[in-house]
Amino acid sequence: MNKAPPIQTGARARKGLIAAGFTLLALLLAWAGGELAAGIARQSLLDQAGPRRALLIAGLRSELTRHETTPAILGLSRTLRTALQSPDDADAIHAANIYMEQIAERTGAAALYLMDTGGTTLAASNWRQTDSFVGRNFAYRPYFREALAGGSGRFYGIGTTSREPGHYFARALEEGGLTLGITVVKVSLAPVEKSWAGLSDRILVVDGNGVVILSSVPDWTFRTLAPLSDAEKVRLADTRQYESVELHELGWRPRADGTVMLAGAPARYLASDSRVEGTPWRLYLLSSLDGVAMARDIGRVGGAGVAALCLLGWLYWRQRRRTRLAWRRSAEALELEVAARTAELVSANDDLRRAQDDLVQAAKLAALGQLSAGITHELNQPLAALRTFSDNAAAFLGRGKLDRVAENLGHIAALTERMARITGQLRTFARRSENRPEDVPLARAIDNALTILAEKVRRLGAEMEIALPAGLTVRCDALRLEQVLVNLIGNALDAVAGREVRLVRVTGEMLDERVTLRVADTGPGIADEHMPHLFEPFFTTKPQGLGLGLGLVISAGIIRDHDGSLTAGNGPEGGAVFVIDLPAGEGE
């Protein structure tokens, strides 16, 4: 039996170790690249989830706060007070029904109703319907008990009459220190749920009982994250909060890595949540991990590509080293051969012919030495091309098509950079004001308001003219003053829409420690029959759906709270003029 020489055996063993080493390196780099890419993608999801939750909560809060003050405003109505003071007067009750029906239609509320102190409904916006609230007693509802005891109440539940879920706001209607009754508005949050349906994320809102009350997935609604205790079941039965609905578990299975699985669903979600301000609710955002899995696969391919580059680089270095050694050995052999042949020619002229033949052979060897350098140069080009192609292969191996994968990665990078820019001036504008009067530069307040209205000014093609004395300040809360200016300038822009001359002029002056600010427009002006009702709740000249008729009421209240006044009129050349009178800043 023949055995391989020891040198060949050692070379084979060395090659096997090198191959095993590069295989291990490829596996390690592929694993590390995949985990690194997955970690970056996961962190990117978490970074984006915060602003997305904030936007979702802002939309939900907007729908709630839009109706939150309605019960208090209803309490100003003499029609409702008359109905409470004369519950047996059919005309008074009928007038209250008509009034609440009109207000419900204008505000978009699901229902408005008026209850006496015993919880019986005297009048309601749905008085014409067969399932009207009129005559029904809702004293068992928490919002009624809270309003009767503390002046206001709120509650989310399923209607025991309509069987439709909604959020209830209640307010005590008082006169002379005595409670006459309770005004209630029911708000449907179905439009909010509908707006979530097209989003890629899964969204759910959970109340203080752990019950899902809103969700982008309809089947998840009115399910619980955990089993309800006996005490919770009794309390829910007493308030009839979810009457006629069986509260089954959702199958919520949180994991230690921050992900969530749902019973019966194979997918995992990256879960994050935030509290909904002003409520006992929490909004959960469930983000799909498909992008993380794709990033992991691409990272693994990239790691393997790095290993391939290392292998190609080593092979390139090894080939160059061999080529150089071969060239050096050829050159040395040539020198020795030439020297030997030359010596032989000098010592033996009789061997001239043989020497000449040897020189011809040596010349051939010299030519081979020169060609070796050219061969090395020619090898550089395919080797460099191999390295370039390996880069492309690493990028395209994820899906097999080079251009499409690169395009997809470019799209992914571009989308990540745009969602990190949802959400500064609106935040600042939406921040809850502490209502602290201070010296507010009018120029800055107007500039902030125009920043918010810039898109509207551009879209209407309107011209803004600002004329203020330098350094003019007023004594007011800065954020609330900006709110008033946004309302007045926004109304002025609406008035000039479609006009031939679209000019809004803002001017100011100071006299006797008072500052007068005027907002004038080139619109059609205010009709005489509308002038007495401008500052009444729910009065508006805009088409239905474009305004609730509360902007001027709220603006006048803000100015009045800061020892000022807001008046309206028509300019001598046409157009409306709104005049704000406020105390001058203490530094004036």
Side-chain angles (χ1 to χ4, degrees):
M1 181 176 180
N2 296 328
K3 293 184 179 180
I7 295 177
Q8 294 183 5
T9 303
R12 291 176 183 175
R14 186 164 56 253
K15 290 180 179 179
L17 289 175
I18 292 173
F22 272 109
T23 301
L24 180 60
L25 176 64
L27 292 175
L28 287 175
L29 289 178
W31 175 83
E35 293 307 307
L36 177 62
I40 294 173
R42 181 189 179 97
Q43 187 59 48
S44 177
L45 272 182
L46 289 174
D47 293 342
Q48 297 171 34
R52 289 204 298 268
R53 290 197 312 273
L55 287 175
L56 292 169
I57 291 175
L60 179 58
R61 285 283 302 148
S62 175
E63 186 66 19
L64 291 173
T65 54
R66 190 164 67 94
H67 299 278
E68 190 171 4
T69 58
T70 300
I73 296 175
L74 290 175
L76 302 175
S77 171
R78 175 51 56 187
T79 301
L80 299 187
R81 291 177 179 270
T82 301
L84 287 172
Q85 293 167 345
S86 305
D88 297 328
D89 187 339
D91 292 338
I93 296 299
H94 181 71
N97 283 329
I98 295 296
Y99 176 75
M100 301 190 84
E101 182 181 44
Q102 294 173 344
I103 298 303
E105 182 179 357
R106 177 165 292 278
T107 61
L112 300 172
Y113 48 105
L114 177 69
M115 298 191 294
D116 62 17
T117 54
T120 299
T121 303
L122 300 180
S125 61
N126 59 3
W127 64 281
R128 299 179 190 271
Q129 302 175 11
T130 56
D131 57 350
S132 170
F133 297 168
V134 176
R136 298 182 184 272
N137 188 284
F138 299 112
Y140 56 86
R141 286 296 204 185
Y143 63 79
F144 171 78
R145 297 197 294 265
E146 292 174 3
L148 196 62
S152 64
R154 60 193 305 161
F155 179 71
Y156 186 89
I158 296 177
T160 55
T161 301
S162 64
R163 304 300 182 188
E164 295 293 334
H167 196 283
Y168 299 83
F169 292 105
R171 187 85 175 189
L173 197 157
E174 299 178 346
E175 186 167 309
L178 298 176
T179 300
L180 300 180
I182 306 296
T183 55
V184 184
V185 58
K186 179 181 180 181
V187 182
S188 172
L189 297 179
V192 177
E193 277 187 305
K194 187 176 181 180
S195 68
W196 295 346
L199 301 179
S200 59
D201 296 317
R202 300 293 187 266
I203 306 158
L204 56 151
V205 176
V206 180
D207 69 2
N209 304 307
V211 178
V212 179
I213 59 175
L214 300 170
S215 176
S216 60
V217 182
D219 291 343
W220 293 0
T221 308
F222 300 117
R223 293 179 177 267
T224 63
L225 299 189
L228 296 175
S229 66
D230 293 339
E232 289 173 331
K233 292 179 180 178
V234 170
R235 178 164 48 79
L236 292 178
D238 290 342
T239 61
R240 301 169 69 179
Q241 186 169 0
Y242 301 116
E243 190 172 60
S244 75
V245 173
E246 294 187 13
L247 300 175
H248 298 293
E249 285 190 61
L250 181 61
W252 184 265
R253 302 291 184 267
R255 297 162 59 97
D257 60 357
T259 60
V260 168
M261 293 191 68
L262 301 178
R268 278 194 306 147
Y269 300 96
L270 185 63
S272 58
D273 63 286
S274 298
R275 187 178 69 86
V276 181
E277 184 182 356
T279 71
W281 306 343
R282 297 197 72 82
L283 183 141
Y284 286 83
L285 185 69
L286 306 184
S287 302
S288 172
L289 292 172
D290 292 345
V292 176
M294 179 179 291
R296 179 180 282 108
D297 292 341
I298 294 174
R300 288 171 178 172
V301 172
V306 171
L309 281 177
C310 293
L311 176 60
L312 289 174
W314 180 77
L315 290 174
Y316 174 72
W317 170 83
R318 184 183 179 190
Q319 183 63 36
R320 288 200 61 182
R321 182 172 176 272
R322 287 182 174 181
T323 302
R324 288 176 178 176
L325 287 175
W327 180 84
R328 185 181 302 167
R329 289 170 182 170
S330 298
E332 291 175 353
L334 177 61
E335 290 177 0
L336 292 174
E337 188 70 17
V338 170
R341 293 296 180 259
T342 302
E344 290 179 2
L345 287 172
V346 173
S347 61
N349 291 327
D350 55 352
D351 297 330
L352 179 58
R353 184 176 297 275
R354 182 168 52 88
Q356 289 176 342
D357 293 339
D358 290 339
L359 284 175
V360 170
Q361 183 65 28
K364 293 180 181 179
L365 294 176
L368 290 176
Q370 294 174 354
L371 287 176
S372 67
I375 294 171
T376 301
H377 176 72
E378 291 296 325
L379 287 176
N380 285 339
Q381 293 182 350
L383 287 174
L386 283 175
R387 182 167 56 183
T388 302
F389 289 147
S390 67
D391 288 338
N392 293 336
F396 297 135
L397 279 177
R399 292 181 59 184
K401 293 184 179 181
L402 307 184
D403 53 344
R404 296 304 302 275
V405 173
E407 179 182 348
N408 289 339
L409 292 177
H411 290 323
I412 292 171
L415 289 172
T416 303
E417 179 179 359
R418 183 180 64 191
M419 280 160 218
R421 280 194 306 266
I422 243 105
T423 64
Q425 182 66 33
L426 285 176
R427 183 183 301 170
T428 302
F429 182 72
R431 186 176 68 241
R432 185 182 295 276
S433 170
E434 298 180 2
N435 198 15
R436 292 186 302 187
E438 57 181 323
D439 286 359
V440 181
L442 268 180
R444 185 185 66 189
I446 294 172
D447 184 63
N448 289 342
L450 290 178
T451 299
I452 297 171
L453 295 169
E455 172 60 20
K456 188 172 186 178
V457 173
R458 184 197 63 77
R459 175 167 44 84
L460 294 177
E463 178 184 355
M464 296 298 306
E465 182 178 305
I466 311 299
L468 297 174
L472 191 62
T473 62
V474 295
R475 192 70 179 169
C476 189
D477 179 84
L479 289 179
R480 296 199 174 191
L481 178 59
E482 291 175 14
Q483 179 181 351
V484 173
L485 291 172
V486 168
N487 179 261
L488 295 182
I489 298 175
N491 287 345
L493 290 171
D494 290 337
V496 300
R499 307 285 292 183
E500 182 177 354
V501 178
R502 296 181 290 277
L503 173 65
V504 176
R505 183 182 294 108
V506 182
T507 59
E509 60 181 352
M510 188 179 73
L511 182 64
D512 297 332
E513 298 184 354
R514 304 288 296 185
V515 172
T516 300
L517 184 69
R518 292 180 175 85
V519 179
D521 60 64
T522 57
I526 304 170
D528 293 339
E529 62 271 21
H530 294 160
M531 193 70 72
H533 306 286
L534 279 181
F535 297 100
E536 291 183 1
F538 301 112
F539 177 81
T540 179
T541 59
K542 297 179 182 179
Q544 185 171 345
L546 296 181
L548 295 177
L550 297 178
L552 290 178
V553 177
I554 294 172
S555 297
I558 291 174
I559 299 300
R560 188 168 52 252
D561 290 343
H562 291 83
D563 192 24
S565 64
L566 174 62
T567 57
N570 289 317
E573 299 178 357
V577 181
F578 285 84
V579 181
I580 299 175
D581 177 76
L582 281 171
E586 294 180 355
E588 290 289 347

